[in-house]
Amino acid sequence: MSLQIVGFSIIILAALLVIGKLIRLKIPILQKLFLPTSLIGGFLALILGPEVLGRLTGDGFLNAGIFTEQMVEVWAGLPELLINVVFACLFIGFVLPKPKKMWKIGGPQIALGYTMSWAQYAVGILLAITVLTPLLGLSPAAGALIEIGFVGGHGTAAGLQSTFEELGFAEGYDLAIGLATVGILSGVVVGMIMVNWAARNGKSKTLHHPDEISLEQQTGILNKEHRKSAGTKTTSSLSIEPFALHLGLIGISIFIGFVLLEILIWLEAVTYGAAFEIYLFEYVPLFPFAMIGGLLVQFFLSRFDRYELVDRDTINTIQGVALDFLIISAMASLSLQVIGDNIIAFILLAVVGIVLNTFLFLYLGPKMIPSYWFERGIGDFGQSTGVAATGIMLMRIVDSENQSPALNAFGYKQILFEPMVGGGLVTAASVPFIIQFGAVPVLIAVTLLTIAFWLLGTLYFGKMKESD
């Protein structure tokens, strides 16, 4: 495949993103639902591609829709690459707070977020043991799909594509991508229903009526007085473009992650792997180690960068671009055939995930979070259903003027949350763990962890006074 085809395929995705934005501006219901443009563009690509238009026209001229098979092939490979960029960006330029402050402010979010993630594993594996595997013939690893698709999202699902294939569960990739789509949709739709409910019933201290949600928030177009730069130049273009410098730091982070992963694969092979025939790291994808690489780069910069060369807004811009292209390319290359072949399992996983997250948020939020429980907890609901970006969006809708500690607490939570679940090491290793050790031992472990964080949230953080 030529580089020209790769480049043109990316150009088409960019055009679809623009068209998706125009569609969102023209259809009010999409604005009220706050659907991301990347998801709208992804649906458009899916409809016009081989899975919908191509199947409707048969094996004729449009068997790949209005696109070419090579373009769809490029799109299928992009998410697994772009997720490394997304995770490498997580901590570069992020000022790490003192542990005490992080624990005090972000602790309730850490407890609630972990409880929801471990519960997704526990309920998902239980569903796999009782229904999905014995009755529907799916791999026991299907029990990890709720957390992978909902908290991890499209990027994590895409990053695990090779893992699914190598462990004999290739259909897990398309099911996870489909669940990630359901997760974002349900996170936004159910989240907005709860935002309206909270505003009308006095559950929110910052949003008192749904009409307070501005037209600017709904359209996604910022008024001129609210617009700001996407980044600050920290170097002169005569020496190096700041954007290129930041891309370089991201590249170094990914390379460090690659080296770390290769070392662990080698150590595993020469130690317990050869002795007990247990291999885990060879099935773990690169992206969680790219995140560790970014964390190491940030530690180095914090200690030695006296010029303050890193601009966090620029890193956020790069991360956002990578995430938009990741979602639209994952949607564009989604196999509806695989989901159709496993439709009962897919519906079960989706419904269980949505009901579980909604129940845990409404039941545990007030018990775990001592102040502004709705403003803070809605972020955890959004992340547990449709990745971190959904959680941040819901928090900004409820608390547009940042009156509560929600955004700060959510940011502090990510430092101890993302390295493990939601696309972290545990998420990446969950499928190999279930395959290697069996579903029952993993179920016991995640159930105990769910109970532990449940108790931590309710008995420790939930007992704090609002002024604590």
Side-chain angles (χ1 to χ4, degrees):
M1 186 179 298
S2 69
L3 289 176
Q4 187 175 17
I5 293 174
V6 174
F8 191 71
S9 301
I10 295 173
I11 289 171
I12 295 299
L13 285 182
L16 287 169
L17 281 171
V18 175
I19 295 171
K21 181 61 181 177
L22 294 175
I23 292 173
R24 191 176 189 272
L25 287 173
K26 294 295 182 180
I27 303 179
I29 187 62
L30 298 180
Q31 297 174 25
K32 292 184 180 296
L33 291 176
F34 291 87
L35 285 186
T37 294
S38 55
L39 205 60
I40 299 171
F43 274 118
L44 182 63
L46 185 64
I47 292 169
L48 298 178
E51 289 298 309
V52 179
L53 182 60
R55 292 185 183 278
L56 292 175
T57 57
D59 295 326
F61 176 68
L62 294 176
N63 64 317
I66 66 171
F67 311 116
T68 67
E69 292 180 358
Q70 289 178 313
M71 288 170 59
V72 178
E73 185 180 344
V74 171
W75 295 342
L78 278 179
E80 197 169 6
L81 172 67
L82 291 174
I83 187 59
N84 297 313
V85 177
V86 173
F87 271 75
C89 290
L90 282 174
F91 297 114
I92 300 176
F94 188 91
V95 179
L96 300 176
K98 293 181 179 179
K100 185 177 181 180
K101 181 179 181 181
M102 180 173 62
W103 183 250
K104 181 179 179 180
I105 298 176
Q109 265 66 44
I110 294 169
L112 180 58
Y114 269 114
T115 301
M116 296 177 83
S117 284
W118 296 129
Q120 286 182 21
Y121 278 122
V123 173
I125 295 173
L126 185 62
L127 182 64
I129 291 173
T130 56
V131 179
L132 301 183
T133 300
L135 300 182
L136 301 178
L138 280 181
S139 166
L145 289 179
I146 297 177
E147 203 273 346
I148 290 171
F150 278 28
V151 192
H154 292 86
T156 301
L160 287 168
Q161 182 176 8
S162 299
T163 301
F164 285 127
E165 293 172 354
E166 291 170 8
L167 292 172
F169 185 36
E171 62 269 33
Y173 167 73
D174 289 295
L175 290 173
I177 291 292
L179 285 171
T181 304
V182 171
I184 289 182
L185 287 171
S186 62
V188 172
V189 174
V190 176
M192 288 306 301
I193 290 173
M194 289 194 291
V195 166
N196 279 268
W197 166 79
R200 295 180 187 279
N201 291 276
K203 303 297 181 182
S204 171
K205 294 182 179 181
T206 55
L207 184 69
H208 304 294
H209 195 278
D211 291 342
E212 293 179 15
I213 301 174
S214 68
L215 183 63
E216 183 180 276
Q217 289 176 296
Q218 294 181 40
T219 62
I221 302 294
L222 296 177
N223 295 326
K224 288 184 178 180
E225 60 269 21
H226 293 155
R227 294 179 182 180
K228 64 177 184 177
S229 174
T232 301
K233 284 193 171 187
T234 59
T235 60
S236 169
S237 300
L238 296 174
S239 61
I240 184 173
E241 279 291 338
F243 203 80
L245 172 66
H246 288 73
L247 282 174
L249 292 173
I250 294 168
I252 291 171
S253 302
I254 295 172
F255 180 73
I256 291 172
F258 171 78
V259 172
L260 288 174
L261 179 57
E262 289 298 313
I263 290 173
L264 289 171
I265 291 173
W266 175 78
L267 286 174
E268 182 178 64
V270 299
T271 54
Y272 63 85
F276 301 103
E277 290 295 317
I278 295 175
Y279 296 96
L280 296 173
F281 286 107
E282 66 179 66
Y283 300 114
V284 175
L286 175 58
F287 65 86
F289 290 92
M291 173 184 59
I292 295 173
L295 192 58
L296 293 175
V297 166
Q298 178 55 31
F299 277 130
F300 178 85
L301 292 170
S302 298
R303 186 178 180 93
F304 298 107
D305 179 22
R306 59 191 180 94
Y307 298 107
E308 298 183 358
L309 294 175
V310 178
D311 173 57
R312 181 62 197 175
D313 287 338
T314 301
I315 293 291
N316 285 338
T317 299
I318 296 172
Q319 184 184 45
V321 171
L323 188 59
D324 278 342
F325 276 89
L326 186 156
I327 292 174
I328 191 173
S329 59
M331 287 292 299
S333 56
L334 175 64
S335 173
L336 295 179
Q337 181 66 47
V338 172
I339 294 177
D341 292 341
N342 299 278
I343 190 63
I344 296 176
F346 181 77
I347 292 173
L348 281 173
L349 288 165
V351 171
V352 167
I354 294 168
V355 172
L356 177 65
N357 287 334
T358 305
F359 167 74
L360 290 177
F361 164 58
L362 293 176
Y363 178 71
L364 292 181
K367 296 180 180 296
M368 287 188 172
I369 303 173
S371 63
Y372 293 96
W373 77 267
F374 188 85
E375 289 81 358
R376 296 166 69 173
I378 194 68
D380 294 288
F381 169 80
Q383 181 172 24
S384 294
T385 309
V387 302
T390 305
I392 293 171
M393 181 200 74
L394 291 172
M395 284 188 293
R396 285 177 173 164
I397 291 170
V398 175
D399 185 14
S400 60
E401 297 182 5
N402 205 21
Q403 300 174 48
S404 75
L407 281 174
N408 283 339
F410 189 80
Y412 293 157
K413 165 201 169 184
Q414 300 306 92
I415 299 172
L416 294 179
F417 185 82
E418 289 285 1
M420 301 304 295
V421 292
L425 290 170
V426 172
T427 305
S430 58
V431 174
F433 262 89
I434 293 172
I435 297 297
Q436 293 276 358
F437 298 107
V440 173
V442 177
L443 173 61
I444 294 171
V446 295
T447 300
L448 292 174
L449 286 167
T450 302
I451 295 171
F453 278 95
W454 186 314
L455 294 175
L456 174 66
T458 54
L459 300 181
Y460 179 74
F461 292 112
K463 301 300 182 182
M464 287 183 173
K465 297 179 181 179
E466 290 199 9
S467 57
D468 287 349

